[in-house]
Every structure is written in C-alpha cells, then in structure tokens.
Amino acid sequence: MESPASFTAGDAYQKDFDPAVYLKTYYSFGSSHCPGNEYLELNLRSLFKIFTSGGVKGDTLIDIGSGPTIYQLLSACENFKEIIASDYTDRNRQELEKWLKNEPGAFDWTPVVKYVCELEGDREKWAEKEDKLRKKVKQVLKCDVSKSNIVAPVSLPQADCLLSTLCLENACKDLNSYRAALKNISSLLKPGGHLVMLIFLKETYYMVGQRRFSSLYLEQESVEEAVREAGYDIQCVEVTPKRFESTFADIEAVMSLVACKQPA
C-alpha cells in the first residue's frame, strides 16, 4: 500500500502547520480530550528505556525534525553534554525557542516533564530537569532531510547520536525518498554512533485542526531494510500495536528502533 497522492510538501507545512494547535491536540498530557495521550506516554517510556539502558550516550545529540516539541529530549538530556534541535518550519522553531527561552505564552510541558521525572525516580525534580534541558540545547537549526547536508548552510561536526521521532514518515513522499533521507541524516553521525527513532507504522494521515497532513505508509520490514541500507546494525526494535481508534490519525502501531552506524 502506498501513501495517498496528496503528499503534504514542505511549503504546505511552512504555510499551514500550526504548532499551537498541534501541541494542544497531541500533547495536552493528562487531558481526557487529548487523543495523543496513549502514544505520548508510550513514546516517553520507550525513550526512557533507550536512554537509561547505558549504551546510548556521548557528547552531542542532534534531534532531526524536532517540531515544536521537547518531550523527546527529556530522557536524552541526561546522557549528552549538548543537544542540537532542528526543524523545517519557521513557526515550529520559533515555538521551540519560546519554551527554551522560558518566554510568556510558551507551551506548558510541566505535566510531561513530571511524568518523565517520575519514571526516573523523582517527580519533584521537574524544574531541575527543565533547567538542564534548556541549558543543553545549544542550537535550533533549519533542517531539510531531502538535502545531502540537511542543515545547510550550517556545517556540523558528526555527532554521537541522531534522534528522529515521528519525522521522516511525514517528510518523505515515498520509500525511495525515505531511504535517501535516512542516508542524508546519517552523514551527521560518527561511525559507531547511535540512531534512535520512533516511527508510526501504517499511518497515511494525521490532522492538525481542520488540516490533513500526509504520512508515508511504512511497515516494520521496510523501515529495518532502509536503516540497514543506510549503513547501520540494528540493535533493538520494539513494536506496540495501537490500543484505540482515533479520528485524528490512522496509526496502526508505534515502532522504536536503536541502531549503530557501521565503520566507514
């Protein structure tokens, strides 16, 4: 099965993707009206497990396609000295900067931060965690995964870890462009470094307000094949099927993956 013909290209994201509506819809943690609660909790647990396993650590982590969110960095920030965030759209980067600078009107991530701190053993350390993350995010860059240097015109040294959560399936029109994007992002990773991904499987769309955005229909096998083809040894994969129906997205399962880049 292929994604629908109505692929949402980058210019549509730049024009129509409203980060405030997206955050309210999918990240109002604890709200009974938030359709993303189950997936957010699952993703937080997956990332906690990956980053507390002891193997994924180093000096620098680059987050590919951060969107306007910080949840994906909460466990990771304990293992790296510096984090570089990135996103395609101006408004997503502005929304992210607003939280990083602790500006009025920034999205309230406190319930999510408290949840991760509870996983880590001390719910009351949430303010300390927020402060730590704000200090460790050194840059928020424009990125385009279709380019060979995804952060051009900036040139970055290779990092110890690449993190990509729910990004490539929304940025790529077909499996060929997905494979190419994986190879493009991998140029930013040191040999022996880790790739950490969260992927929605068999999803073709998701809603932000009244706007429908496309997603590339991916199966576990095609993701694993693309990762190996990009020069990785896969170390860990977990797939969790959906537990409820949603009118906001047609996700079938969530896949978490850790892979190690092979020596050149």
Side-chain angles (χ1 to χ4, degrees), residues 48-229:
F48 166 73
K49 188 175 173 182
I50 289 166
F51 287 109
T52 53
S53 66
V56 184
K57 57 189 176 183
D59 292 330
T60 307
L61 176 144
I62 301 174
D63 185 27
I64 313 287
S66 309
T69 67
I70 58 103
Y71 77 91
Q72 70 276 19
L73 302 172
L74 291 168
S75 291
C77 76
E78 302 296 333
N79 292 18
F80 295 89
K81 292 175 184 171
E82 68 168 27
I83 292 170
I84 297 165
S86 67
D87 198 73
Y88 184 83
T89 84
D90 300 339
R91 283 197 289 175
N92 277 349
R93 295 193 308 276
Q94 287 159 8
E95 187 70 40
L96 185 53
E97 293 268 21
K98 200 188 288 184
W99 185 85
L100 291 169
K101 293 172 181 173
N102 212 358
E103 290 176 358
F107 186 73
D108 181 15
W109 285 101
T110 308
V112 177
V113 181
K114 284 182 174 175
Y115 180 81
V116 173
C117 288
E118 197 170 311
L119 290 177
E120 292 174 357
D122 191 348
R123 184 181 172 85
E124 297 313 309
K125 283 194 170 177
W126 64 270
E128 192 180 307
K129 167 82 84 177
E130 288 190 352
D131 188 48
K132 180 181 285 185
L133 180 54
R134 286 186 170 109
K135 286 190 171 113
K136 287 196 176 183
V137 178
K138 306 298 185 187
Q139 299 181 75
V140 179
L141 300 175
K142 165 90 175 175
C143 81
D144 182 344
V145 297
S146 69
K147 294 183 175 176
S148 54
N149 174 13
I150 68 163
V151 291
V154 177
S155 182
L156 291 175
Q158 289 184 318
D160 301 286
C161 180
L162 295 184
L163 175 62
S164 181
T165 56
L166 320 178
C167 165
L168 297 186
E169 58 266 41
N170 299 330
C172 298
K173 185 174 186 174
D174 52 34
L175 208 45
N176 283 339
S177 54
Y178 185 82
R179 289 192 190 106
L182 259 175
K183 288 174 182 170
N184 290 341
I185 69 171
S186 297
S187 64
L188 293 176
L189 185 64
K190 293 175 184 173
H194 286 93
L195 171 69
V196 176
M197 298 177 79
L198 293 180
I199 304 129
F200 281 155
L201 296 178
K202 301 183 182 180
E203 179 188 35
T204 65
Y205 79 91
Y206 68 103
M207 303 296 295
V208 179
Q210 298 303 305
R211 183 68 161 91
R212 185 183 176 111
F213 290 87
S214 66
S215 184
L216 177 62
Y217 182 96
L218 289 170
E219 297 187 353
Q220 179 182 345
E221 295 74 19
S222 52
V223 173
E224 290 184 18
E225 191 180 317
V227 169
R228 288 194 187 96
E229 195 183 280

